[in-house]
Amino acid sequence: MSEKNPYKYNGDTLILENITDNNTNKSVYIESYGCAMNFSDSEIVASILSKNGYKTSDDMYNADLILVNTCSIREKAELTVRKRLEKFNKVRKTNTNVKVGVLGCMAERLKHKFLEEEKIVDMVVGPDAYKDLPNLLEEIEDGKSAVNVILSKDETYGDITPTRINSNGVNAFISITRGCDNMCTFCVVPFTRGRERSRDPQSIIKELNDLSEKGFKEITLLGQNVDSYLWYGGGLKKDFSKASEIQKASSINFAKLLEMCALTQPKMRIRFSTSNPQDMSIEVIKIMAKYENICNYIHLPVQSGSDNVLKAMNRQHTRKEYLELVENIFKIIPDCSISHDMISGFPDESEDDHKQTLSLMKKVKYSFGYMFKYSERPGTLAAKKLEDNVDEKTKSRRLSEIVDLQQKHSLFRSKQFIGKTVEVLIEKESKKSSSHWAGRNQQNATVVFPKKKFNVGDFVNVKVNDCTSATLVGEATGYSKNN
Ligand code: SAH
Ligand code: F3S
């Protein structure tokens, strides 16, 4: 088996030998939880395993390998994964040959529990160790367990072409940064995914071109904090100050990368996520305005509208600075849509803090929102230093007030499209009607309309005549000029 392994470790350097052995006919069933980055990582894992003869399968009962790509962001996410592991353990009772592996953010924190205490998995692999999978699979072949949760300074998987899983052939993710240096006090990501590093722009453009050749129409550049992207030849973002003058002068920031992508594939739509308000520059907003194929949509998590809470969260901006940024966005791109992440019930959050969150929302009138109750995560600064002292009932009540307000704002934003014609990229059949297509406009609103002669992947103009808070309903009037 080892001769067939396409990846070989030479000390800590990995040599990629381009051997494809698809004759072993093994199958891997992969389930992914959590953020888009996890789904994107699973495609990297599928690509690495394909070199070892594994094909992805949606049949867990007959798979040779079950992998679950896990999320630690909130307790609920971890509980969901634990339930799935119980299920996979049952599968192991009927299919005794199947191996089970845990990938992703739960790997580091729970490796001992999974492998030694509960013995429910064979292998635990952290987000930076996926290239070691072929070796780890060899280790577990004769019943041993294997683990690699080492976080890396430079792994970006830039040399791996992801194998698209469950793809509609239209939308794809391209990851551009890994890890996060921000240390928001509530957040487990810097611990599970390590320090921030950016991927070589050449490899990003190569992936973009490859996707275009395969017929994809829209890509989303992914990172925990995309606006902080900085390529200076490799290495951690925090070590940029130690780079040479030549490296510094030829470095590429997010605005430049975005422009490179927009110019390289002018017919493809470009999206990006997530933008941290502290790093979003006017330069980026101007680049968005300059290129029609960069979608007018920004996911701009704020977490709270209160300065006290923002400070305790270690977010690097004030309420005022955030609102100024929003003002600049609307000034430069009047039809931009903005969404948020919000947390209710952070330690010591008072009723007044909560009211400030509602008032900030009223000022921005976000198009969408992702809203959560604070969930204390072991190991974070908040868990160490702050008491989780807002009771469950209050957290829930505040969350539902935030959700209700967001619903109103979403409806307000949706209504603004009524009577207008928007460009929609068709992605799939509408969930509610087999005679309708569903797609999104530039502003990320879902649009449904009768199928007529159009197909998945077409850019069409749709005249909007009705809406709910979540969906625009309309009639396609023809192909758009981008088709
Ligand atoms: N990088 C992004 C956020 C990544 S995590 C940023 O710039 O903010 C996605 C979202 O999960 C966060 O924005 C936050 O709203 C939520 N989240 C993270 N940790 C959480 C916790 N401990 N409890 C509740 N929500 C949390
Ligand atoms: Fe988490 Fe804050 Fe980074 S929310 S991912 S530490 S920007």
Side-chain angles (χ1 to χ4, degrees), residues 78 89 96 98 109 141 143 173 204 277 293 295 309 331 336 351 375 399 431 445 456 461:
E78 286 197 351
N89 221 15
T96 46
V98 70
R109 202 165 78 72
E141 219 164 54
F173 294 125
I204 295 170
N293 61 330
C295 290
V309 178
K331 215 183 274 167
C336 196
E351 209 47 39
S375 164
L399 179 66
K431 272 190 212 133
V456 168
N461 289 324

Side-chain angles (χ1 to χ4, degrees), residues 180-184 186-190 224-225 276 303 315:
C180 184
D181 285 347
N182 280 325
M183 288 291 173
C184 300
F186 54 82
C187 185
V188 80
V189 170
Q224 296 302 334
N225 184 3
N276 190 307
Q303 321 296 358
R315 300 287 287 185

Side-chain angles (χ1 to χ4, degrees), residues 138-156:
E138 275 183 39
E139 276 180 47
I140 63 174
E141 219 164 54
D142 44 8
K144 280 185 283 181
S145 61
V147 57
N148 186 345
V149 292
I150 296 168
L151 290 171
S152 160
K153 278 185 183 170
D154 43 27
E155 182 59 82
T156 60

